[in-house]
């Protein structure tokens, strides 16, 4: 087998293999989420054929197989390069970086505290993944300062059918989707955050004390 042909073939295998790994890691958010129906389709009609291409290529290289005729060799290399480009481009493009390389942030309606000091909304990070969590977005209206306070909510109980706004700063035209309500506490800089029924699968109400000065939350019930 000509050395240049062998090197091109090995290069094609490496590129395709890297694309396979990228697709596997990306579609599972580094194994933090499951595979949906659309991604399953891509695995069947794209990922598996690419894997088969690698397996056949490695077998042929080990056996030293190569057509004798020069034109057949050229056509074979062209087919290998074509398949490598098709597989690699589609496998790379089929990956959404949100949820692992960058966070997926969803939120409810922006609200204002009763004392008109803060804007706030509950944010759900990487929903329906093992690494999901919630935090409270707060903006000081007078100073414009923005902070985020972690909220200890078991996100695995969240319903998969509830509304998700892809823009965490978007304000709906009507106040339909509210996951939390915050009231003034009995001390300065203390607020009481109540998680509404619509946010949890079991409809469980959870209440947290929010300390604006210390920037932390504490579960009350």
């Amino acid at each position: 087998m000509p050395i240049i042909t062998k090197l091109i073939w090995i290069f094609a295998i490496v590129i395709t293999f890297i694309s396979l790994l990228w697709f596997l890691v990306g579609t599972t958010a580094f194994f933090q989420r499951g595979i949906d129906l659309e991604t399953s389709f891509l695995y069947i009609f794209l990922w598996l054929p690419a894997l088969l291409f690698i397996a056949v290529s490695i077998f042929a290289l080990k056996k030293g197989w190569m057509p004798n005729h020069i034109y057949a060799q050229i056509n074979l290399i062209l087919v290998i390069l074509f398949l490598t480009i098709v597989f690699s481009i589609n496998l790379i493009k089929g990956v959404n970086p949100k949820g692992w390389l960058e966070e997926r942030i969803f939120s409810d309606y922006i609200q204002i505290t009763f004392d008109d000091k803060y804007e706030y909304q509950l944010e759900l990070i990487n929903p329906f993944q093992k690494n999901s969590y919630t935090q409270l977005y707060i903006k000081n209206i007078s100073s414009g300062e923005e902070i985020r306070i972690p909220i200890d909510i078991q996100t695995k109980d969240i319903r998969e059918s509830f509304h998700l706004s892809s823009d965490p700063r978007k304000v709906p035209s009507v106040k339909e989707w509210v996951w939390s309500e915050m009231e003034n506490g009995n001390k300065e800089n203390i607020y009481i955050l109540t998680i509404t029924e619509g946010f949890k699968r079991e409809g469980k109400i959870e209440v947290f004390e929010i300390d604006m000065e210390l920037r932390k939350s504490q579960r009350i019930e």
Side-chain angles (χ1 to χ4, degrees):
M1 178 184 295
I3 185 66
I4 185 64
T5 302
K6 184 176 182 180
L7 290 176
I8 293 174
W9 208 341
I10 292 174
F11 176 77
I13 292 173
V14 171
I15 295 299
T16 306
F17 181 72
I18 291 174
S19 301
L20 285 176
L21 287 181
W22 170 263
F23 187 82
L24 176 62
V25 172
T27 53
T28 59
F30 222 101
F31 308 104
Q32 295 295 318
R33 64 172 175 244
I35 304 299
D36 57 23
L37 183 61
E38 181 180 355
T39 306
S40 299
F41 178 86
L42 291 175
Y43 268 99
I44 294 173
F45 294 99
L46 182 62
W47 197 86
L48 288 179
L51 183 63
L52 180 62
F53 166 71
I54 290 177
V56 172
S57 296
I58 293 175
F59 178 80
L61 284 172
K62 281 189 173 182
K63 294 295 182 179
W65 176 85
M66 175 62 62
N68 293 325
H69 200 282
I70 184 62
Y71 292 109
Q73 293 180 13
I74 294 174
N75 288 332
L76 175 63
I77 292 302
L78 290 176
V79 169
I80 290 173
L81 291 177
F82 173 77
L83 290 176
T84 301
I85 292 172
V86 170
F87 286 138
S88 300
I89 290 178
N90 285 281
L91 286 169
I92 292 172
K93 288 176 62 177
V95 172
N96 186 349
K98 291 186 178 295
W100 61 300
L101 291 182
E102 56 184 273
E103 293 180 331
R104 299 171 63 210
I105 303 177
F106 298 90
S107 63
D108 65 345
Y109 188 88
I110 293 179
Q111 302 178 79
I112 299 177
T113 55
F114 288 103
D115 55 11
D116 294 324
K117 289 185 177 180
Y118 300 97
E119 290 181 355
Y120 71 94
Q121 64 182 162
L122 196 65
E123 293 183 336
L124 174 60
I125 316 299
N126 301 328
F128 320 129
Q129 296 183 189
K130 295 178 182 179
N131 62 340
S132 63
Y133 63 96
T134 53
Q135 62 188 14
L136 181 65
Y137 164 81
I138 299 170
K139 179 180 179 180
N140 188 309
I141 295 177
S142 61
S143 67
E145 180 186 17
E146 298 181 354
I147 63 172
R148 285 176 171 83
I149 299 176
I151 305 295
D152 182 22
I153 297 176
Q154 293 296 323
T155 55
K156 67 179 181 180
D157 297 328
I158 296 173
R159 302 179 311 177
E160 296 190 11
S161 60
F162 80 124
H163 176 76
L164 294 176
S165 171
S166 59
D167 184 353
R169 300 280 77 78
K170 181 180 179 181
V171 181
S173 58
V174 291
K175 190 174 178 179
E176 292 180 328
W177 308 108
V178 176
W179 302 342
S180 61
E181 297 176 350
M182 191 158 64
E183 301 177 346
N184 294 67
N186 53 11
K187 296 180 181 180
E188 187 178 1
N189 296 321
I190 297 296
Y191 293 81
I192 304 301
L193 178 72
T194 302
I195 308 301
T196 62
E197 293 184 5
F199 192 68
K200 302 300 291 296
R201 184 184 296 274
E202 296 93 356
K204 180 182 178 182
I205 301 297
E206 295 181 277
V207 182
F208 298 86
E209 181 183 270
I210 307 298
D211 190 321
M212 295 295 188
E213 185 176 2
L214 298 179
R215 300 184 180 186
K216 68 178 184 178
S217 65
Q218 180 177 346
R219 181 186 294 274
I220 298 177
E221 59 181 72

